[in-house]
Amino acid sequence: MEDSSTSDTKKNVSGYHDEVVLSVRNLRKYYPVEGGYFFTRKIADIKAVDGVSFDLHKGETLGLVGESGCGKSTIARTLTFLYKPTAGEVWFKGVDLRTLSRGELRANAKELTMVFQDPAASLDPRFTVMQSILEPLEIHNLVDEREKYGIVRDLLIRVGLSPHHAYRYPHELSGGQQQRVGIARALTMQPQVILLDEPVSALDVSVRASIINLLIQLQDDFSFSYIFIAHDLSVVKKISHTVAVMYLGKIMEIGDVDDVYNNALHPYTQALMSAIPVPDPTVKKERIELKGEVPTPINPPAGCRFCTRCRFVRQKCFLEEPELVEFENNHRVACHFAKEINEGTHKLADDVADEELQKQRGLI
Amino acid sequence: MEDAASNVLLKLDDLHTYFFTEDGVVKAVDGVTFDVKEGEVLGLVGESGSGKTVTAMSILNLIPQPPGKIVGGDILWKGKSLLDLPDSELRTIRGNQIAVVFQDPMTSLNPVLTIGKQIMEAIILHQQVSEEEAEDKTITLLELVGIPDAAKRVGDYPWQFSGGMRQRVMIALALSCNPDLLIADEPTTALDVTIQAQVLKLMRELKEKFQTSIILITHDIGVIAEMCDRVAVMYAGNIVEIADVYSIFKNPKHPYTVGLLGAIPSVDSKREEELQTIPGSIPNLISPPSGCRFHPRCTKAMPECSTTVPATIELSPGHHVRCLLYDNSTMK
């Protein structure tokens, strides 16, 4: 791989380029729930991703956070077309991927690659590292026999391994080394976008740090765009430029990483951020405790999806779904009362003497 | 370590637990010494394969045998050795006085029994109570750990609960016999942050209410900082440093502890700042490195580190470290 990409456009203040690489509009992915006695038929939909829109810029890392079942991984899998989206548009370099044929999609897969959570499970145990790394090239018929070894050697060095690892099998490598091979394999095709689905969750602390450093280094060198999915909020903070907070298949808040972490607008984001354990025993953090559980995505609440657990909830939240609107520069939030909450003029639902509202909260 | 005047509940004295495998002897726990006092939360932190879980399993004598075996040292429970006890007596301590909560609540609950049955079973086994009393007690316990509508939910099966709720059931089960010591092995690792916050809060409240001592095993340093009174850092089967939580975080001494703390991204760290890493990877415990087990990865390693096994040194009261850097008897 040669250093080709950094020169064409200048980075903006947020640390990435203005050019949009991937544009997602109103993406939906429903999984059918089947039932019936003699004939299986669809009886309901699990609305795993339900209307998600965002832009990914060149050299940008978009962190997707949210609790299990919020649809983060489904987004990654839908974008790579491992699952076909139910509705919505995915624009990649000016083309709507939904209009492409299978063959065209496959050609496209070169530029949109994925790194998975469990490095041991995502590498073929019977392939040497070299075979694993070259497999994508072979699928796309791009291997030149004479260059094979050179490509693998360069990639291995690039991800911090040494050339002799090329002839090893996955079981001979440590977890961190396996994940480096997984990253090398994603880089083989010189992609534009890399989807990282919990790439460091299975790794130990000391190894995790080196993989995070590697990912940041690679992005600085080649201006890849990342979609980084993780449940560890500190890791997401470290690597991301932009963060989207998801809840029940929807983006509740999206914005520059510092804005979302330091000035969370949505009550859900505020609760999420307050729950991060701080590695400092002298800090006693005030927790916003979330009551109850995440509702089922088969039948999400009408109105705002977070209304069943929100401490600022009002009547309106049960009836009307808030749109994701811009609150301040590049910082968007889906909450009817974001402004009031942010100004501190919005009372907690517990303190509101509104019988109807309290009844509604009790009913759920 | 001095017992001092404080009431030591559990004491591990130079514990060695080995696994005899076809490839060789895995020295999973190799000379671990610590104690747990009444009402104290002791954190056991380290990377995978450092021996945290094997240490905990040794206390309960749950090491699969063979291939595992406690080959040396002693475990003293309220001054009495657990290793000499016959199985029947051990069983009255295990579950009754020492309870355990595992990482994955789904695999530790019986899927074909209602949770009410499972908790009642433990209560009836360890306490002389009637079935009705046991059921009442079960409902009280489930309410205590924050399960809504407990009276109705005792009849539910584990799969009908969410992950966080299942972990609460596990805690209720562990508490059913008012244990003196709760061993929690990665109790929140499988949970989401907001649920994790709930479960940790619950454990804190229980500790305050019942003065239960807790051994908290985790690799999450944030959780350690939040929960523990004292922390033991494990590496490759040894405890490399043990101290109160403030000393560990503010004044870490062992190079491994320093490295571990530097490797975690804090919420305030900037993207441009490179995270500290510890070079290399954890050693194979069949043939661990000679001398100090950390020396091949240590940035401060000296020539003698590869030949001399460091002794545990008490730097200040209660702050023990196992590193030659602080050993005045070796020449620098």
Side-chain angles (χ1 to χ4, degrees), chain B residues 18-315:
Chain B
Y18 291 177
F19 288 88
F20 297 86
T21 67
E22 279 179 16
D23 297 327
V25 182
V26 181
K27 302 173 188 80
V29 172
D30 210 10
V32 162
T33 302
F34 66 78
D35 52 19
V36 184
K37 298 178 185 72
E38 244 168 62
E40 170 185 64
V41 182
L42 176 77
L44 218 50
V45 66
E47 299 179 275
S48 42
S50 60
K52 310 185 291 284
T53 300
V54 175
T55 305
M57 293 301 135
S58 303
I59 297 171
L60 293 160
N61 207 355
L62 291 176
I63 297 291
Q65 206 169 336
K69 194 169 194 301
I70 297 174
V71 293
D74 207 350
I75 302 167
L76 299 166
W77 174 247
K78 296 178 177 171
K80 231 165 89 185
S81 172
L82 286 182
L83 297 181
D84 311 334
L85 285 185
D87 253 5
S88 57
E89 263 182 74
L90 194 62
R91 223 172 290 139
T92 63
I93 291 177
R94 188 162 60 202
N96 207 0
Q97 299 179 31
I98 307 177
V100 63
V101 175
F102 295 103
Q103 172 172 356
D104 184 356
M106 194 63 212
T107 53
S108 23
L109 288 166
N110 186 337
V112 297
L113 289 181
T114 65
I115 57 141
K117 263 243 152 63
Q118 299 188 48
I119 299 175
M120 277 165 65
E121 187 186 17
I123 296 175
I124 293 170
L125 189 72
H126 289 293
Q127 301 169 21
Q128 271 64 54
V129 292
S130 70
E131 204 153 301
E132 288 77 46
E133 277 175 89
E135 185 162 1
D136 286 346
K137 205 166 173 226
T138 303
I139 295 169
T140 322
L141 275 167
L142 290 176
E143 276 166 0
L144 181 77
V145 296
I147 288 183
D149 224 355
K152 228 192 245 159
R153 300 218 68 180
V154 285
D156 283 353
Y157 292 90
W159 58 267
Q160 290 167 299
F161 289 83
S162 65
M165 284 295 154
R166 258 179 242 142
Q167 198 58 293
R168 282 162 193 264
V169 171
M170 278 304 297
I171 293 174
L173 186 57
L175 292 175
S176 61
C177 298
N178 308 322
D180 299 319
L181 174 69
L182 179 67
I183 299 176
D185 189 357
E186 305 265 11
T188 59
T189 306
L191 306 177
D192 283 315
V193 268
T194 59
I195 311 291
Q196 164 172 295
Q198 291 174 5
V199 172
L200 293 180
K201 184 170 168 237
L202 170 70
M203 286 176 54
R204 253 194 318 262
E205 286 167 0
L206 294 172
K207 176 202 145 196
E208 269 149 36
K209 222 166 173 176
F210 303 112
Q211 282 293 305
T212 313
S213 307
I214 301 174
I215 296 181
L216 181 64
I217 301 174
T218 178
H219 64 267
D220 188 328
I221 306 212
V223 172
I224 289 278
E226 212 148 282
M227 294 288 295
C228 298
D229 302 313
R230 281 197 305 141
V231 184
V233 182
M234 288 195 74
Y235 182 79
N238 295 141
I239 287 181
V240 293
E241 186 163 4
I242 184 165
D244 65 277
V245 67
Y246 297 101
S247 305
I248 287 283
F249 281 88
K250 299 294 174 195
N251 191 16
K253 290 296 183 197
H254 198 282
Y256 178 65
T257 315
V258 176
L260 207 56
L261 291 172
I264 41 168
S266 86
V267 178
D268 314 314
S269 73
K270 292 268 170 288
R271 193 175 184 278
E272 298 75 39
E273 296 161 14
E274 208 169 276
L275 286 172
Q276 275 183 47
T277 58
I278 303 173
S281 52
I282 39 174
N284 174 350
L285 291 179
I286 292 176
S287 49
S290 59
C292 171
R293 291 187 173 184
F294 186 58
H295 85 263
R297 302 176 71 190
C298 184
T299 46
K300 296 212 168 88
M302 305 172 289
E304 56 268 39
C305 292
S306 57
T307 51
T308 318
V309 177
T312 305
I313 305 151
E314 185 161 17
L315 291 174

Side-chain angles (χ1 to χ4, degrees), chain A residues 290-322:
Chain A
L290 279 184
K291 298 271 185 315
E293 305 265 326
V294 183
T296 155
I298 295 178
N299 190 12
C304 174
R305 306 213 155 186
F306 189 54
C307 69
T308 55
R309 303 172 79 197
C310 182
R311 57 187 191 135
F312 290 113
V313 71
R314 289 293 184 277
Q315 289 267 26
K316 190 182 181 186
C317 307
F318 291 100
L319 307 167
E320 255 177 70
E321 180 157 13

Side-chain angles (χ1 to χ4, degrees), chain A residues 214-337:
Chain A
L214 170 68
L215 289 170
I216 293 177
Q217 182 64 48
L218 287 170
Q219 188 172 47
D220 288 347
D221 291 352
F222 298 104
S223 289
F224 298 128
S225 304
Y226 292 152
I227 291 182
F228 189 89
I229 297 169
H231 67 270
D232 186 328
L233 296 164
S234 315
V235 170
V236 173
K237 170 80 182 4
K238 178 82 196 166
I239 198 168
S240 303
H241 298 100
T242 308
V243 174
V245 180
M246 291 191 65
Y247 186 78
L248 265 184
K250 286 210 175 268
I251 294 180
M252 304 309 251
E253 181 164 0
I254 182 168
D256 287 349
V257 65
D258 289 322
D259 290 339
V260 174
Y261 274 69
N262 301 332
N263 183 28
L265 296 169
H266 199 285
Y268 176 63
T269 318
Q270 292 172 350
L272 202 61
M273 294 304 158
S274 83
I276 308 173
V278 192
D280 184 345
T282 54
V283 177
K284 288 285 170 258
K285 217 160 116 180
E286 204 182 313
R287 289 273 142 79
I288 303 167
E289 204 185 329
L290 279 184
K291 298 271 185 315
E293 305 265 326
V294 183
T296 155
I298 295 178
N299 190 12
C304 174
R305 306 213 155 186
F306 189 54
C307 69
T308 55
R309 303 172 79 197
C310 182
R311 57 187 191 135
F312 290 113
V313 71
R314 289 293 184 277
Q315 289 267 26
K316 190 182 181 186
C317 307
F318 291 100
L319 307 167
E320 255 177 70
E321 180 157 13
E323 300 233 344
L324 191 64
V325 288
E326 183 140 7
F327 183 82
E328 53 192 12
N329 190 27
N330 221 358
H331 190 176
R332 290 182 294 151
V333 60
C335 176
H336 292 305
F337 301 104

